[in-house]
Amino acid sequence: MGSTGSTGRPVRMTRASAVRGTVATLGLLATMTLMGCPGKGAVHPSGSDDARSPQGGSASAPASTASTGGAAAAEPAPVPAAAPATVPAVRQYDRRDGPGWRPARGARVVADPDGPAADEARLLAGDLGLPFDRGPARAGDVELVPRVGQAGGPEAYELTTEGRKVTITSAGDAGLFYGTRTVVQAVRTGGGLPEGVIKDAPDRPQRGLNLDIARKHFPADWIEARLREMADLKLNQLGLHFSDDQGFRIESSSHPEIVSQQHLTKAEVRRIVQLAGSLHITVVPEIDSPGHLGAVIAAHPGLQLRDATGAVARGAVDISNPESARIVDDLLREYAPLFPGRWFHLGADEYRALMARDPQTSYPGLADAARRKYGPRAKVQDLATGWLNDRAAVVRSLGRTPKAWNDGFFPDGVVVPDKSIEVEYWTGKENGARNPQDYLNEGRTLVNLNDEFLYYVLGEPNDFRYPTGERIYGGWGPAVLRGTAAASAAGPDRVLGGRLAVWCDRAGAQTPEQVAAGIHVPLAAVAQRVWDPRPPTRPWPDFRSLAGRVRR
């Protein structure tokens, strides 16, 4: 992703932040008490339940003074001079001599309450159970300072710990936010930050989780919990696949007849999107077509594609029928305002007509339509490519960048897939599947969802196995797009990142709670590999343990 902030950020969710602050405070209470910081002295005034509300001008006691009797408080114990234990690991730590920083008595989070860092500062204050203050910063504080033009871009940050004070700087809000995540994790795993300078930035711009909510309904609060988990791992993209053969899971005003009984309301989706924006995560909606539309076909059986024998092509609409395009375009136009991020995913995978050994013979109606529309040399694949290009034109007209799965792109056709469509590469196993190098050689950009490593498929059908994270951590990287081999010329400008993908093929195989537990360590492994391209140095058992320790 270029940056979440490119589309504007929603207003912060105060209730969510209050919950985050309460949970984090309980988790840190014992540690901070040992450091001379009783819990009651660290939380916000009792008159506010909003962990992000400004506390400008608060009269917090200095770190060197106890709040009772004015007696000098013991200095916090020094933090060992080593890179903090975080997921993902910081990319550069320059050690300096000094005591480091711990959230001791009198510590505050400081930022200009009217400036661009205020939201991030209030969130950090809630997470650490510290007051937010306008400053000026002093020993014991964490200060957030926007720095226009700082190197590395809007997601990079510098974190300096010196004189028992922490300063986070970045050119962008996202970078400041990621700096605060490093602070939170360092406190969870080591009690504080070592003296020195951290310079950190992601290697890939798109980093995240793909979630199939079509085959299995996940409640809004479960999705929100995943967003918070992702944010702590510095992930920035949540894909929502909400339409498939088994269900259509978001409320619709244009076509209410297709919506499943269990679904998210638009109010719930707005809440999810709002929380995601506050955490620098873009939600990418996916309406998969022209395959995987069984829920739409159930309400509109006249759209059903059939082969030459009259047999049903499961989940596939007849793309020669203009009504098929009309309904899908209605939905694209309806949902674009609900998801204000940069992208809209169009699917395009596993269209049954193109999985046949001879599509022209098996689906003569589509073949005739292709020739009528695109000339005598056109085939069924050209009609499907035209469908994809037409849907891409719709989402571009709505200000979105289109995405599609790699098996919706075909070579040597009369019609060429639009170059503006980002390729989401998931498989090299489908009939006629192309090597990812082909797409790179065409000048396309790719996102990595390699099913060999990154697919968490409920029920483990078709030889899939739940990933533990170990293979991702040790053998996968953004350039490993197909199988286990890395593609060439697959730098950050060509392979934009990767996502772990949850697919609910056998929806009852796991509960939502089991899914959350099962993906936690694999998601942490993905976060490590898309943040830093170098082979990890921490042994796998240590990383697995660390992934549990940084968990909120």
Side-chain angles (χ1 to χ4, degrees):
M1 181 180 79
S3 85
T4 303
S6 64
T7 58
R9 294 176 49 209
V11 176
R12 299 287 188 162
M13 288 188 62
T14 58
R15 178 177 297 178
S17 62
V19 173
R20 291 166 60 90
T22 301
V23 172
T25 301
L26 291 173
L28 292 167
L29 184 57
T31 299
M32 294 174 68
T33 301
L34 290 174
M35 294 185 256
C37 186
K40 288 185 180 179
V43 297
H44 294 292
S46 58
S48 172
D49 65 351
D50 180 359
R52 301 187 194 181
S53 61
Q55 303 294 331
S58 65
S60 303
S64 60
T65 309
S67 60
T68 57
E75 291 284 358
V79 178
T86 62
V87 179
V90 300
R91 295 182 66 177
Q92 181 180 335
Y93 164 59
D94 296 328
R95 172 180 174 173
R96 294 180 182 173
D97 292 333
W101 172 89
R102 295 181 187 272
R105 184 189 299 261
R108 307 168 301 167
V109 178
V110 172
D112 178 355
D114 300 316
D119 286 345
E120 323 310 329
R122 291 188 179 101
L123 177 57
L124 178 61
D127 284 340
L128 296 180
L130 299 176
F132 170 81
D133 200 283
R134 66 176 63 247
R138 64 195 181 206
D141 292 346
V142 180
E143 183 177 21
L144 277 64
V145 181
R147 187 166 290 167
V148 176
Q150 181 170 302
E155 290 194 305
Y157 69 93
E158 291 188 16
L159 189 157
T160 301
T161 305
E162 185 176 27
R164 296 194 182 276
K165 182 170 81 87
V166 176
T167 304
I168 304 170
T169 64
S170 175
D173 293 356
L176 291 170
F177 176 71
Y178 297 144
T180 69
R181 300 307 89 197
T182 295
V183 173
V184 170
Q185 286 199 23
V187 171
R188 287 176 185 160
T189 61
L193 286 157
E195 199 85 0
V197 179
I198 291 168
K199 296 181 179 180
D200 206 11
D203 181 59
R204 305 285 162 151
Q206 297 189 37
R207 312 176 301 278
L209 173 67
N210 212 71
L211 183 62
D212 172 11
I213 65 171
R215 294 180 178 93
K216 183 180 183 68
H217 173 67
F218 290 91
D221 58 356
W222 188 94
I223 297 172
E224 290 169 348
R226 304 288 73 72
L227 287 169
R228 295 186 181 97
E229 181 178 353
M230 291 169 61
D232 279 354
L233 297 172
K234 303 183 176 80
L235 298 171
N236 66 1
Q237 195 177 80
L238 174 67
L240 282 185
H241 175 91
F242 64 90
S243 170
D244 213 304
D245 298 343
Q246 295 81 357
F248 192 99
R249 301 289 182 180
I250 296 179
E251 174 188 358
S252 173
S253 57
S254 67
H255 291 282
E257 72 281 0
I258 71 175
V259 179
S260 302
Q261 183 176 4
Q262 282 190 311
H263 63 271
L264 297 173
T265 67
K266 286 188 176 179
E268 288 175 320
V269 173
R270 290 187 187 98
R271 196 178 79 202
I272 289 166
V273 170
Q274 185 181 45
L275 175 61
S278 76
L279 300 173
H280 298 275
I281 296 171
T282 297
V283 182
V284 180
E286 181 191 352
I287 296 177
D288 200 347
S289 80
H292 294 281
L293 283 174
V296 173
I297 294 169
H300 297 274
L303 305 183
Q304 176 68 67
L305 177 67
R306 298 177 182 272
D307 69 11
T309 70
V312 165
R314 182 170 58 86
V317 296
D318 181 352
I319 56 177
S320 68
N321 183 346
E323 186 68 6
S324 298
R326 185 188 69 79
I327 290 179
V328 171
D329 289 350
D330 286 346
L331 296 169
L332 294 174
R333 293 188 176 99
E334 177 182 359
Y335 289 110
L338 193 62
F339 295 95
R342 176 177 165 184
W343 298 276
F344 208 119
H345 202 305
L346 301 172
D349 63 312
E350 297 182 318
Y351 186 50
R352 293 287 170 176
L354 291 167
M355 297 170 71
R357 189 176 300 277
D358 184 354
Q360 278 59 240
T361 300
S362 296
Y363 295 91
L366 296 183
D368 289 343
R371 288 189 290 269
R372 287 196 304 271
K373 189 168 185 178
Y374 297 113
R377 294 176 47 247
K379 299 179 180 179
V380 174
Q381 73 171 51
D382 296 299
L383 195 66
T385 300
W387 168 281
L388 175 60
N389 287 347
D390 289 346
R391 308 292 78 75
V394 170
V395 299
R396 279 199 309 275
S397 74
L398 298 167
R400 305 296 185 268
T401 297
K403 288 176 174 284
W405 298 111
N406 67 284
D407 50 330
F409 295 75
F410 302 96
D412 306 322
V414 173
V415 184
V416 177
D418 192 290
K419 286 292 182 69
S420 72
I421 305 170
E422 289 185 6
V423 179
E424 303 239 329
Y425 197 98
W426 71 281
T427 186
K429 300 172 184 176
E430 295 290 331
N431 182 32
R434 299 166 63 200
N435 191 294
Q437 200 67 53
D438 292 350
Y439 303 87
L440 293 170
N441 292 344
E442 291 173 2
R444 298 185 182 276
T445 55
L446 278 65
V447 178
N448 190 328
L449 288 93
N450 183 342
D451 65 347
E452 179 75 19
F453 291 90
L454 303 179
Y455 266 35
Y456 191 99
V457 185
L458 267 60
E460 300 184 313
N462 303 321
D463 297 322
F464 282 110
R465 294 294 177 264
Y466 295 127
T468 64
E470 184 172 8
R471 290 185 71 225
I472 298 170
Y473 187 72
W476 178 81
V480 181
L481 289 149
R482 179 183 188 180
T484 60
S488 60
D493 59 329
R494 305 298 308 285
V495 178
L496 303 176
R499 297 195 304 277
L500 183 75
V502 176
W503 296 106
C504 302
D505 292 41
R506 297 174 182 170
Q510 289 191 339
T511 65
E513 292 73 23
Q514 289 172 320
V515 174
I519 67 174
H520 177 71
V521 175
L523 193 61
V526 170
Q528 176 61 47
R529 298 313 310 265
V530 292
W531 188 267
D532 189 340
R534 297 169 297 184
T537 58
R538 187 181 294 273
W540 167 250
D542 292 351
F543 180 86
R544 183 178 56 201
S545 173
L546 177 60
R549 290 160 58 203
V550 302
R551 188 172 190 171
R552 65 175 51 255

